[in-house]
Structure formats: C-alpha cells, structure tokens
Amino acid sequence: MVGPARPQIVLFGSSIVQYSYSNGGWGAILADIYARKADIILRGYIGWNSRRALQVIHQVFPKDAAVQPSLVIVYFGGNDSMGPHSSGLGPHVPLLEYIENMRKVAIHLKISFSNMHWNSIGVHSNTQLFVSQSLSENIRVVFLSCPPLNEQKLRETSSGYFSELVRSNELCRKYSEACIELCGELDLKVVDLFSAIQKKDDWMNSCFTDGVHLSSEGSKIVAAEILKVLKEADWQPSLHWKSLPTEFGDDSLYDLVAANGVDTINPSEWTFHREGKWD
C-alpha cells in the first residue's frame, strides 16, 4: 500500500462501474474530486451480475485484510434485470433471487448481527449459512439502484455478435424499486438512479452512449447524487470530500512564488481546473 494511509472508496458492480472511469464517467469525476482526499478503487466489471458478485465477494472484500475500505458504492441490477435466455445462460437473475443476493452483499459488507435477530431484517436460513459477520463496523455502504434505459437507442446500437438482448424500462423499474426497498429494510443509503436520471430534460438522448451505459451527462447526475448522500449522511467521520483532510496540504517553500516575489501560494485546495463545481 502506498502511504500515507487514507480512506479507500471502492466501486463494486458491473459495466456501469467499469465504464465510469472512461470519457468523463462518474468514477473519474469522484477520482478527481477525491484526488487529495481518498483513493477511489475500481472493482466492477463488464457483464457482472449479483450472482457473480457473490462468487467474488470474499476475494474482493476479504475479511482478514489488514486495511478495509471506508466506503463501498455498490451497483448491480442492470444485467440481472435482462430477460431470461432460452438456454438458461446469461446474466438474468430472477427478481426475488436478486433481492436475496443483494441482501447477502450488504450483510458481508456492513451489517453486524451481534445484537440483532436474523429474522428482524428478513434474513433467510441460506443467508445465515453464507456469512455470519460483516467486514467492519466502520465501513459505510451506498447502493445505486438500476437506472432507466433508452429502449430505441439500445435496439439501434445492439450488435449481431450477441444473442437477442431483452431489456426494458419496466424491468429496470422493478429491479430499481426492489433495491430501494431492500435498503430501506436494512437502513442503508441508496441512490434512486431510475428517478434521478429521468428528471433531466431529454434524458433518453443525453444520458446514454448506447441506450444503456452512461454518457458524461448521465455520469454527472450519478456523481452529484452520490455526493449529496455523502454530504447528508450522519456519519462520523464524514466521508464527504469537503470534510476530509487534504493530503500534504501544508504550506511549502517549494510552492509557486506569488506576484510579490516574497510569498508562496499553496495550491492544495485549488479546484478551478474542473469544468463543474461540485458540492
């Protein structure tokens, strides 16, 4: 690990996460905002669904790791919500299983049962066998719900390389609502992307690159919603970027010299290079 130690924020999910580092994506936005505050770590990849999440979660978030993340931002649902393929293959996960899988992810990351009955949050017996304790009491979790999509644009950009992809806004809505309801049960923070994106004028054309994956405009909405949650969360310590200390923020004789030729100018809090101003 590169020092000095500072908070780690892990992005865990599917292509909405991996592509967030490209072309003005929301992951890249967060990496810029937190450049001198925390490390933004990518652990989300194209094609992953909630089943894949459970396959890899102990590798991505091992319980015996010396350093645990301060925050995990979780996104699964877009691939799960695809219609089933006749072969039984593919990323589709039935809604009830998706809910249970996301519950298991939440339990592994955050929920402690030392003073809580399993049944009080609707945990099924197979979940009890999956995991018995969370990574750390100090880890914070934010879930992102399934965003909407532009069905027409998706049909226009679909490749013949793949078998027919069954996606619809109605399926996205159902999985989004299920994620939001589960987070309410578990008292976890959640961003309602399905609603947030549709608030923008001309969202179908402006927020996507191919009807599914987010454009820079769509990513700005995601980043703003995440920052809003972090600012409003009653967490100690706060993980909002303005509340975190600036790394190596002390004055230095090696900073740029001011116009008076005597003083130096500390650039550690400069943000003027950003196109947008983030709250």
Side-chain angles (χ1 to χ4, degrees):
M1 178 178 176
V2 177
R6 62 184 196 167
Q8 293 184 351
I9 299 174
V10 181
L11 314 184
F12 183 45
S14 59
S15 56
I16 293 291
V17 170
Q18 181 175 335
Y19 290 170
S20 76
Y21 276 56
S22 302
N23 305 318
W26 59 272
I29 291 172
L30 293 179
D32 174 45
I33 292 172
Y34 281 88
R36 299 188 69 155
K37 308 285 186 171
D39 293 322
I40 310 295
I41 300 172
L42 174 70
R43 290 296 184 272
Y45 304 112
I46 301 169
W48 278 16
N49 62 4
S50 63
R51 288 176 178 168
R52 191 77 166 112
L54 296 186
Q55 284 184 338
V56 303
I57 196 166
H58 289 278
Q59 295 171 267
V60 176
F61 302 103
K63 292 192 174 182
D64 59 355
V67 178
Q68 297 291 0
S70 298
L71 171 66
V72 181
I73 299 175
V74 180
Y75 168 74
F76 293 98
N79 292 325
D80 298 69
S81 68
M82 290 175 61
H85 192 270
S86 58
S87 66
L89 301 172
H92 169 72
V93 175
L95 183 60
L96 293 180
E97 182 189 343
Y98 164 75
I99 295 169
E100 189 65 13
N101 290 348
M102 297 303 280
R103 189 190 306 274
K104 292 174 181 177
V105 169
I107 290 169
H108 181 83
L109 293 175
K110 177 61 184 172
I111 301 171
S112 174
F113 296 97
S114 57
N115 296 308
M116 183 184 295
H117 295 295
W118 290 91
N119 291 337
S120 67
I121 60 168
V123 177
H124 301 163
S125 59
N126 60 335
T127 302
Q128 295 180 46
L129 293 174
F130 175 77
V131 66
S132 61
Q133 62 180 7
S134 60
L135 289 181
S136 167
E137 293 181 358
N138 298 321
I139 291 179
R140 310 301 182 186
V141 180
V142 175
F143 276 76
L144 308 180
S145 81
C146 188
L149 52 82
N150 182 330
E151 296 180 20
Q152 181 178 347
K153 192 169 187 178
L154 177 61
R155 287 192 294 269
E156 294 171 352
T157 58
S158 293
S159 170
Y161 186 77
F162 300 104
S163 181
E164 182 181 3
L165 303 177
V166 180
R167 292 181 183 265
S168 73
N169 246 342
E170 179 60 17
L171 287 171
C172 291
R173 180 188 65 79
K174 289 180 179 179
Y175 282 69
S176 174
E177 290 178 353
C179 178
I180 294 167
E181 183 176 349
L182 177 65
C183 289
E185 284 181 37
L186 304 182
D187 193 26
L188 296 174
K189 304 296 184 184
V190 62
V191 173
D192 179 359
L193 288 185
F194 190 82
S195 298
I197 287 177
Q198 293 186 78
K199 292 177 182 178
K200 181 175 176 59
D201 293 340
D202 194 32
W203 64 269
M204 285 196 293
N205 294 317
S206 63
C207 290
F208 304 103
T209 59
D210 55 6
V212 175
H213 298 104
L214 298 169
S215 66
S216 60
E217 288 302 308
S219 279
K220 288 176 184 176
I221 296 173
V222 179
E225 292 294 321
I226 290 172
L227 292 175
K228 180 181 178 183
V229 168
L230 298 183
K231 183 176 182 178
E232 295 177 353
D234 185 21
W235 292 341
Q236 296 298 329
S238 171
L239 293 174
H240 186 254
W241 70 281
K242 290 184 178 179
S243 299
L244 292 173
T246 298
E247 190 170 62
F248 298 113
D250 50 308
D251 295 337
S252 171
L253 295 177
Y254 309 119
D255 289 336
L256 295 173
V257 180
N260 62 17
V262 177
D263 301 315
T264 56
I265 300 175
N266 186 331
S268 63
E269 301 291 347
W270 288 358
T271 60
F272 62 82
H273 64 284
R274 296 175 186 150
E275 291 182 357
K277 300 302 179 184
W278 299 99
D279 192 14

